[in-house]
Amino acid sequence: MELKNKKWTHDEFYAIREDILKQWPTGAEVDMAEAFKYHETIPAKKHFAKRLVKAKKNGETLTQPRAGVALINEHINLLNFLRTEGEADLLPTTIDSYTRQNQYKEAENGIEESKRAGRSLLNGFPAVNHGVAGVRKVIESVDGPLQVRHGTPDARLLGEITLAGGYTAYEGGGISYNIPYAKSVSLEQTIYDWQYCDRLVGIYAENGIEINREPFGPLTGTLVPPSVSHSVAIIEGILAAEQGVKNITLGYGQCGNLFQDIAAIKALEQLADEYFAKNGYNDCVLTTVFHQWMGGFPQDEAKAFGVISWGAAAAALAKATKVIVKTPHEALGIPTKEANAQGLKATKQLINMLADQPFPLSSEVQTEIDIIKAETRCILDKVFELGNGDFAKGTVSAFAAGVLDVPFAPSKYSLNKILPARDNHGAVRLFDTGNLPFTQDIIDFHRIKIEERANSEGRKPSFQMVIDDIYAISKGRLVGRPNRS
């Protein structure tokens, strides 16, 4: 295996495909030529990429939940409930944890135990075990565009089965489904495995079947600076485009400061257009997804709705193409379908109310756009340099050097040197910039912002600020101020 950002030939792809399909018996159900014909029968209103293109053209922000249970009929009922009662524009199939770790035997046991218990004992839908036929039952029974959402370092068999089954969107990437999810899986391996997934989508595209691909934007979901998540999103987007993917959604996780969040989506759009064009990928449709707050939530449902609504407002004002919606049970575990629908309806209400209200591009927002773009360019250009013009190779070297670094990541391949904290207005800055390849003026910018907050709170800049900010929203604030009572 030689890792490089170069489009796989058909021979290279098919040389390993047979072994992938043998990882579990349902792999034998996959017939790619037949799958192409099946996709041609899927109506446009259930086609994920087409719905995103329409939303981008019309300036809409679409809603999408997370959801998945163990058994086919129950999963269908859940998705139809979220479509009708929750008014969801786009629908997910969240995959269970066993499947994410390629533990298909354990997933099979979970299916059988769920049947005996009469309720789901898995935290998602085990698509590999249900196979192409089972997946198609879901596709044909649900009236809406469907996407696979998971968290799988090696998602090759899952991709084969769900795409053959009729899913028109597939989430994840070799960085974003490794660094925040795994401890000891090498980046070389996951980037290579995800090149397979992207080449698979590219082959579908060559046969007239457009599948949407979405790197996972929020990463660890805990105070991730926009420039860090943007760098990963753009790299994964470029890696996908090289393999022939034509419809890509780049994501960002809410930080909480309205100006910074709006600026982040604007900057992501501008940077993606810039770097895709610079690297020769001019035929990709690019859209954006805004993830509502991914950190700690209040346990009180009313307070949780406040957090959800703030994320909805930010997504709507930023004009993100879609928003991933949280539930008022976020702090309590897997939500009921009713709670999931409530989060969706609250979000839809905010989006509808703000649909005709443009957010003025103030000097504060423009300043944030400028700093995010400057930081992201520093990172991306250094990654490109480290890879001698190859983003795949450069990514591996960049993480080893800390040029790319994700805060609070479990992976041993992330140095975890950077430490984020909020400034005095709640924007996410860096208390410690680690080895990020920032210019001195950017490093000084972060230091000054942290010092301004520390001075206003009557304390010295310290790691305690980081800790305070991690728990702040669950305690009812955005900035983790010291208790002066």
Side-chain angles (χ1 to χ4, degrees):
M1 177 186 78
E2 182 190 355
L3 181 66
K4 55 186 175 182
N5 183 36
K6 185 178 180 181
K7 187 175 185 177
W8 289 18
T9 65
H10 281 212
D11 287 345
E12 289 170 330
F13 176 80
Y14 286 107
I16 62 174
R17 184 169 184 260
E18 186 176 347
D19 288 338
I20 304 303
L21 297 178
K22 288 178 179 177
Q23 290 177 353
W24 190 253
T26 52
E29 299 175 16
V30 177
D31 180 334
M32 195 179 286
E34 187 274 338
F36 298 152
K37 294 178 181 178
Y38 181 79
H39 271 267
E40 291 171 357
T41 69
I42 297 173
K45 67 176 183 178
K46 295 173 68 170
H47 197 286
F48 214 96
K50 287 183 173 65
R51 187 66 186 93
L52 288 172
V53 169
K54 181 181 177 182
K56 182 176 181 178
K57 180 181 178 181
N58 296 337
E60 297 176 84
T61 297
L62 306 176
T63 59
Q64 182 180 358
R66 294 178 174 87
V69 291
L71 305 179
I72 293 172
N73 288 336
E74 285 74 5
H75 187 58
I76 290 168
N77 292 338
L78 171 60
L79 295 183
N80 281 329
F81 183 87
L82 296 177
R83 179 72 163 172
T84 56
E85 294 299 317
E87 304 172 17
D89 298 305
L90 305 167
L91 292 166
T93 287
T94 301
I95 303 299
D96 69 288
S97 294
Y98 287 129
T99 301
R100 298 179 197 186
Q101 298 301 319
N102 312 111
Q103 297 173 350
Y104 308 124
K105 179 59 178 173
E106 288 80 357
E108 192 70 31
N109 293 338
I111 292 171
E112 296 306 316
E113 291 173 9
S114 296
K115 289 178 181 176
R116 288 192 290 270
R119 62 185 179 88
S120 180
L121 297 178
L122 295 175
N123 64 345
F125 183 75
V128 168
N129 295 74
H130 289 309
V132 174
V135 166
R136 287 189 180 178
K137 188 173 181 182
V138 175
I139 296 293
E140 292 164 8
S141 303
V142 175
D143 185 28
L146 280 161
Q147 179 188 43
V148 183
R149 304 188 69 87
H150 45 121
T152 313
D154 179 3
R156 295 173 293 178
L157 181 59
L158 177 64
E160 287 276 9
I161 286 174
T162 52
L163 295 191
Y167 277 84
T168 53
Y170 199 70
E171 187 205 22
I175 309 166
S176 61
Y177 270 3
N178 177 346
I179 299 298
Y181 283 91
K183 181 180 179 181
S184 302
V185 183
S186 74
L187 275 167
E188 290 99 330
Q189 188 64 54
T190 54
I191 293 173
Y192 182 80
D193 289 346
W194 272 91
Q195 284 181 319
Y196 179 99
C197 296
D198 286 326
R199 191 69 194 98
L200 175 65
V201 172
I203 290 172
Y204 271 77
E206 289 167 7
N207 287 272
I209 310 300
E210 193 169 37
I211 306 293
N212 171 257
R213 282 280 293 112
E214 178 192 331
F216 180 63
L219 302 176
T220 52
T222 306
L223 301 177
V224 178
S227 59
V228 170
S229 59
H230 286 10
S231 296
V232 172
I234 290 168
I235 290 169
E236 288 193 335
I238 285 173
L239 296 179
E242 174 62 27
Q243 298 303 327
V245 178
K246 302 301 181 185
N247 190 288
I248 300 171
T249 301
L250 302 181
Y252 165 76
Q254 181 183 12
C255 283
N257 174 283
L258 184 63
F259 287 176
Q260 186 176 45
D261 286 334
I262 290 174
I265 291 294
K266 302 298 184 189
L268 180 56
E269 292 172 334
Q270 295 167 20
L271 285 162
D273 286 342
E274 174 185 330
Y275 276 86
F276 272 65
K278 185 187 295 185
N279 288 277
Y281 307 111
N282 297 302
D283 58 348
C284 293
V285 175
L286 300 177
T287 50
T288 55
V289 51
F290 185 95
H291 293 252
Q292 290 179 354
W293 179 247
M294 294 286 290
F297 254 70
Q299 292 192 7
D300 182 279
E301 285 192 25
K303 294 179 179 179
F305 275 118
V307 179
I308 290 168
S309 297
W310 188 233
L317 292 171
K319 300 298 182 186
T321 319
K322 71 172 183 174
V323 56
I324 304 296
V325 177
K326 288 291 193 169
T327 82
H329 288 180
E330 209 62 41
L332 307 176
I334 297 175
T336 63
K337 67 180 188 297
E338 290 81 8
N340 209 335
Q342 287 176 332
L344 283 162
K345 286 192 286 188
T347 297
K348 178 76 77 173
Q349 178 72 14
L350 262 291
I351 289 173
N352 288 343
M353 290 172 65
L354 292 168
D356 302 314
Q357 299 187 43
F359 192 86
L361 188 60
S362 64
S363 60
E364 291 91 343
V365 174
Q366 188 59 56
T367 296
E368 288 295 333
I369 291 173
D370 292 342
I371 191 70
I372 292 168
K373 289 171 70 172
E375 291 176 13
T376 308
R377 287 191 186 108
C378 286
I379 296 172
L380 288 175
D381 293 350
K382 190 64 176 178
V383 173
F384 194 72
E385 177 189 324
L386 288 171
N388 292 316
D390 187 302
F391 273 114
K393 294 178 179 179
T395 295
V396 176
S397 298
F399 269 99
V403 165
L404 264 173
D405 200 356
V406 177
F408 314 115
S411 174
K412 69 181 184 181
Y413 295 98
S414 184
L415 290 190
N416 275 311
K417 276 195 167 188
I418 62 172
L419 284 175
R422 297 190 182 279
D423 69 14
N424 209 33
H425 299 289
V428 172
R429 309 299 182 193
L430 285 163
F431 171 74
D432 189 336
T433 56
N435 293 352
L436 297 181
F438 290 165
T439 56
Q440 189 59 49
D441 61 321
I442 293 175
I443 294 170
D444 291 341
F445 171 84
H446 284 272
R447 176 181 53 77
I448 291 167
K449 287 292 185 180
I450 297 295
E451 286 176 352
E452 286 174 354
R453 172 185 165 188
N455 291 336
S456 75
E457 294 175 351
R459 59 171 166 171
K460 293 181 178 180
S462 70
F463 181 67
Q464 187 61 45
M465 296 168 76
V466 181
I467 297 171
D468 293 343
D469 287 341
I470 289 172
Y471 295 104
I473 284 184
S474 63
K475 295 179 178 179
R477 297 292 301 269
L478 179 63
V479 182
R481 309 285 189 190
N483 188 349
R484 293 198 178 104
S485 59

